Amino acid sequence: MATLLPVQYAKILYTLLHEAKDKEVSDVLKVFVTLLHKDQMLLKIDYIIAAFEKHAKKEDGIREIEITSARALSAKSITEIVKPFGKNVETTVSVDKSLIGGVVVRDGNIIFDASIKKQLQELTRSLA
Amino acid sequence: MSHTDKIIKELKKHIASFQTDVQTEEVGTVVEVGDGIARMSGLTKCQSQEMLEFEDGTIGVALNLEEETVGAVILGDFTSIREGATVKRTGKILSVPVGEKMIGRVVNALGLPIDGKGDIKEDDFYPVERIAPGVMTRTPVDTPMQTGIKAIDALIPIGRGQRELIIGDRQTGKTAIAIDTILNQKGQDMICVYVAIGQKESKVARTVRVLQQAGAMDYTIVVSAGASEPAPMSYLAPYTGCSMAEYFADKGKDVLVIYDDLTKQAWAYREMSLLLRRPPGREAYPGDVFYLHSRLLERACNLNDQNGGGSITALPIIETQGGDVSAYIPTNVISITDGQIFLETNLFYKGIRPALNVGLSVSRVGGAAQIKPMKKVAGSLKLTLAQFRELEAFAQFSSDLDADTKRQIDLGRRMTELLKQAQYAPLSVEHQVVSIYAAGQGHFNEIPVNDVKAAEKRLLELADRSYAPILGSIKAGEWSEEVQTGLKALCEEFKTLS
């Protein structure tokens, strides 16, 4: 039986906790875990927790930016890249040599791709 | 300044002003993969029917747009797609390559060649799902589409722009009729598209071979979604074939499309719909299975001259189980099409091939799609066969019957024998008129039933030898005194010879 997605459970939990008073929190969690058990979703608890974190951050106005570059970036360039995304930003930086050069920035569901790899791919596509 | 320095300076200038283009992409994450389908989160601005690209380059089509997820079918290998993988939007509605170079090729449901003859240079891309031409762009069907099969051209005529269903159990010769029709289009300025849906690859290979040997691949495109390919390919193939046909129809050409067969497309669509968790209805088909076929067959059309005057004739094929035409899919398609050719197992085993049930087969367009001579000779044929069917039951008491009844039964038997036709042996319309005329006038009555076929052959040889001008006039659609006397003379001469 198709139940809800982890994202949807996370949203439910967030709304519940948001409305609950401090004393009620443990009760809410207890009910929530029972619900997960009933829906046979306890296996997916890791996904739900991850989704909950993501959702909570989004609700609090924090943007998660993932930066991937071909070579390690200096702190200055990172701040430069992050600037247009506003103040409440959490960045994860990683290095991927296959990009050849340039950076790829991911903001939620949107990817800004300024890597050499992508440019070459576009070039091949336009020449084909 | 030396030449090298100049180049270096120029290069430095370019490097200094170099700016990378930033490509913006919208992505999602796969949350679930099943048999040929995937569900993805993200992709918030995704359109229905949009192409999605998975990490390995496989294409998917978004079909279900839900609150949190997008349900898509995967066109290709889905084994390499994993949960958590990234999916990109392409911003393009699913379309296939179309063009003149497609003719003579075998392609898959995405329009990519599978005959090993190299890439096809497309002239254009057409969306797979197109809205059918409207009322104002159409004109009534008025030109015949000769199938080369006597029983069909005489009794159930098909016109250019018509949709005629071929329905019957397995192994009753449905595909044979379709292939014969393609073979008969040689030199008729017609382009044929044969769509093989969920068929055995060996059967498709055999069909292509037959077409090649007869030289029919010069005007035919074969679209094949094999039985081993995922269900979405079978679902897509008819639409792909139709889009390819539309390209030619838009250029004012006449096109014939054969969907072999739509039962398998409905199965594929049922599989996809159930995996996408759409609610099942009768026989577990989703609620829009009628629309699946109606929107496809509605794209068959006869365009008026302001719109190029092209036409698309559709011959969908439906396979029934145990002759049950009242099952869900057969009734649906019967109601959509402009008539049906009904094939029966018991007729097939009686040796009546094509195993056409003349009583149950109809063409709603009918006489408008026949040349005049054919209309004249076929009228009496219909009546003779109807009377024969009524009297057939009494045939075994032949000794007790009056002379009139006996004569009718004899004529009916000879007519039935005459309508038998070998596979891959389509007959031109003028030959059909000659043999039906001769039989209708009773010139075969003295010939034993078993020899009718041989006698017909002799008659047609004689006609070709000595009466070529008459044949020419019949082909042109003339039914003058001259033609009639010519036919009479032909029959007299035939009689004296035999």
Side-chain angles (χ1 to χ4, degrees):
Chain A
M1 171 59 203
T3 41
L4 301 175
L5 290 169
V7 192
Q8 286 167 308
Y9 282 106
K11 279 188 182 171
I12 293 171
L13 183 62
Y14 184 84
T15 326
L16 286 174
L17 289 178
H18 203 72
E19 284 165 4
K21 297 187 188 77
D22 283 349
K23 274 187 281 178
E24 294 165 352
V25 168
S26 78
D27 285 337
V28 167
L29 284 177
K30 212 172 179 179
V31 173
F32 186 71
V33 170
T34 329
L35 171 77
L36 289 186
H37 176 67
K38 209 180 97 210
D39 288 356
Q40 303 188 342
M41 287 296 283
L42 281 175
L43 272 174
K44 300 246 174 175
I45 193 69
D46 290 344
Y47 293 97
I48 296 173
I49 291 170
F52 178 75
E53 258 179 68
K54 234 181 192 163
H55 184 67
K57 272 181 195 161
K58 200 176 145 197
E59 289 291 308
D60 297 345
I62 299 172
R63 289 170 97 168
E64 277 184 284
I65 309 289
E66 281 173 43
I67 303 171
T68 318
S69 58
R71 269 156 289 154
L73 291 169
S74 65
K76 198 182 151 221
S77 359
I78 291 174
T79 36
E80 196 72 16
I81 290 168
V82 168
K83 216 187 238 168
F85 295 100
K87 285 220 171 105
N88 270 333
V89 174
E90 262 184 32
T91 45
T92 352
V93 184
S94 57
V95 172
D96 181 0
K97 283 231 165 91
S98 74
L99 292 182
I100 307 169
V103 284
V104 177
V105 182
R106 178 170 179 164
D107 170 24
N109 281 328
I110 297 169
I111 290 182
F112 301 94
D113 200 330
S115 68
I116 302 286
K117 187 184 171 188
K118 183 74 191 175
Q119 307 250 338
L120 290 175
Q121 277 173 356
E122 286 297 313
L123 189 67
T124 356
R125 200 175 287 194
S126 66
L127 290 178
Chain B
M1 198 165 25
S2 80
H3 195 60
T4 330
D5 284 345
K6 212 168 155 189
I7 291 175
I8 292 173
K9 204 182 159 200
E10 191 74 5
L11 196 63
K12 275 184 176 164
K13 205 174 91 190
H14 274 287
I15 291 171
S17 63
F18 176 74
Q19 269 215 318
T20 50
D21 289 336
V22 179
Q23 304 281 335
T24 321
E25 283 170 343
E26 214 191 305
V27 292
T29 321
V30 177
V31 290
E32 192 184 318
V33 193
D35 279 335
I37 65 124
R39 286 218 287 167
M40 286 143 293
S41 67
L43 296 172
T44 34
K45 287 183 188 139
C46 184
Q47 289 169 281
S48 178
Q49 294 279 332
E50 183 175 333
M51 284 202 272
L52 305 171
E53 198 182 326
F54 292 93
E55 273 170 348
D56 61 346
T58 313
I59 298 291
V61 183
L63 287 181
N64 274 13
L65 306 181
E66 288 157 17
E67 198 182 337
E68 294 288 344
T69 57
V70 172
V73 291
I74 304 160
L75 303 171
D77 184 23
F78 54 85
T79 46
S80 58
I81 296 164
R82 302 252 177 274
E83 187 180 340
T86 328
V87 195
K88 275 190 281 183
R89 269 187 64 188
T90 59
K92 280 185 283 188
I93 299 296
L94 184 60
S95 25
V96 288
V98 294
E100 303 277 346
K101 296 268 159 50
M102 289 278 172
I103 296 173
R105 304 296 299 267
V106 184
V107 296
N108 69 4
L110 295 173
L112 303 171
I114 49 171
D115 52 5
K117 289 186 191 160
D119 288 347
I120 302 173
K121 185 80 192 100
E122 74 280 343
D123 293 342
D124 203 352
F125 279 91
Y126 266 35
V128 166
E129 299 269 6
R130 267 177 116 209
I131 300 293
V135 181
M136 296 311 289
T137 59
R138 292 177 188 245
T139 177
V141 173
D142 52 7
T143 321
M145 200 277 303
Q146 306 293 352
T147 62
I149 298 165
K150 274 174 280 181
I152 295 174
D153 287 345
L155 300 168
I156 329 151
I158 302 170
R160 295 192 175 187
Q162 195 183 341
R163 301 157 299 172
E164 181 82 9
L165 171 67
I166 302 172
I167 186 167
D169 277 10
R170 68 200 157 68
Q171 288 295 314
T172 49
K174 301 185 296 297
T175 305
I177 287 184
I179 300 302
D180 278 352
T181 309
I182 294 181
L183 297 185
N184 195 48
Q185 301 313 312
K186 198 171 197 172
Q188 310 258 7
D189 194 22
M190 187 87 128
I191 288 160
C192 303
V193 182
Y194 178 75
V195 187
I197 309 153
Q199 286 187 21
K200 292 183 280 269
E201 306 278 356
S202 63
K203 191 183 170 190
V204 180
R206 205 168 58 217
T207 306
V208 172
R209 219 181 134 79
V210 168
L211 293 176
Q212 263 164 357
Q213 280 169 350
M217 280 308 273
D218 298 343
Y219 53 87
T220 306
I221 305 172
V222 177
V223 181
S224 170
S228 62
E229 286 180 73
M233 301 300 250
S234 293
Y235 154 74
L236 205 62
Y239 297 104
T240 305
C242 196
S243 294
M244 287 175 184
E246 274 166 348
Y247 173 77
F248 294 106
D250 286 350
K251 298 207 154 202
K253 297 235 175 82
D254 290 324
V255 196
L256 167 73
V257 199
I258 289 156
Y259 305 111
D260 191 3
D261 62 77
L262 291 186
T263 320
K264 296 209 177 68
Q265 194 215 4
W267 288 350
Y269 188 57
R270 171 168 65 183
E271 181 183 328
M272 272 167 50
S273 297
L274 291 174
L275 285 165
L276 284 167
R277 306 218 172 94
R278 291 180 176 176
R282 182 175 160 192
E283 290 176 30
Y285 288 106
D288 62 341
V289 75
F290 183 88
Y291 181 57
L292 173 82
H293 290 144
S294 68
R295 71 170 186 261
L296 172 70
L297 294 171
E298 200 56 31
R299 283 160 76 178
C301 57
N302 191 16
L303 295 170
N304 58 19
D305 290 337
Q306 290 95 301
N307 288 283
S311 76
I312 299 179
T313 313
L315 291 182
I317 294 178
I318 287 283
E319 187 180 294
T320 52
Q321 306 287 330
D324 182 14
V325 284
S326 59
Y328 193 24
I329 302 301
T331 45
N332 277 355
V333 183
I334 285 172
S335 75
I336 295 164
T337 48
D338 308 312
Q340 66 272 357
I341 294 168
F342 191 62
L343 303 173
E344 269 187 352
T345 321
N346 54 357
L347 290 175
F348 188 84
Y349 290 123
K350 262 195 221 163
I352 301 173
R353 294 173 202 181
L356 208 76
N357 184 322
V358 181
L360 288 178
S361 304
V362 288
S363 168
R364 280 175 223 166
V365 173
Q370 269 179 325
I371 58 170
K372 206 175 173 204
M374 183 56 106
K375 230 185 280 184
K376 292 288 175 197
V377 299
S380 63
L381 175 64
K382 240 177 243 177
L383 195 68
T384 314
L385 285 171
Q387 285 170 342
F388 172 61
R389 271 199 306 278
E390 298 237 309
L391 299 170
E392 204 180 3
F394 304 110
Q396 42 189 317
F397 315 115
S398 59
S399 54
D400 304 333
L401 293 174
D402 61 283
D404 197 37
T405 316
K406 212 169 163 202
R407 197 182 48 76
Q408 277 184 351
I409 290 174
D410 281 349
L411 187 60
R413 279 212 178 118
R414 281 172 182 78
M415 281 293 195
T416 314
E417 187 64 26
L418 191 75
L419 291 182
K420 287 184 190 172
Q421 205 170 332
Q423 204 175 343
Y424 312 138
L427 211 59
S428 64
V429 65
E430 58 271 21
H431 284 148
Q432 293 184 22
V433 170
V434 169
S435 59
I436 294 170
Y437 175 83
Q441 297 294 316
H443 293 292
F444 286 160
N445 284 2
E446 274 84 61
I447 297 159
V449 174
N450 291 337
D451 293 340
V452 168
K453 295 243 75 150
E456 186 201 10
K457 205 175 160 203
R458 285 202 304 276
L459 172 73
L460 295 179
E461 274 167 11
L462 176 66
D464 276 336
R465 219 178 316 121
S466 327
Y467 292 85
I470 299 290
L471 291 181
S473 321
I474 294 173
K475 196 179 180 187
E478 279 177 47
W479 189 248
S480 54
E481 281 293 319
E482 196 187 330
V483 172
Q484 289 179 47
T485 37
L487 279 174
K488 246 175 222 159
L490 166 63
C491 292
E492 289 306 324
E493 193 181 339
F494 168 69
K495 239 179 172 176
T496 53
L497 285 178
S498 54

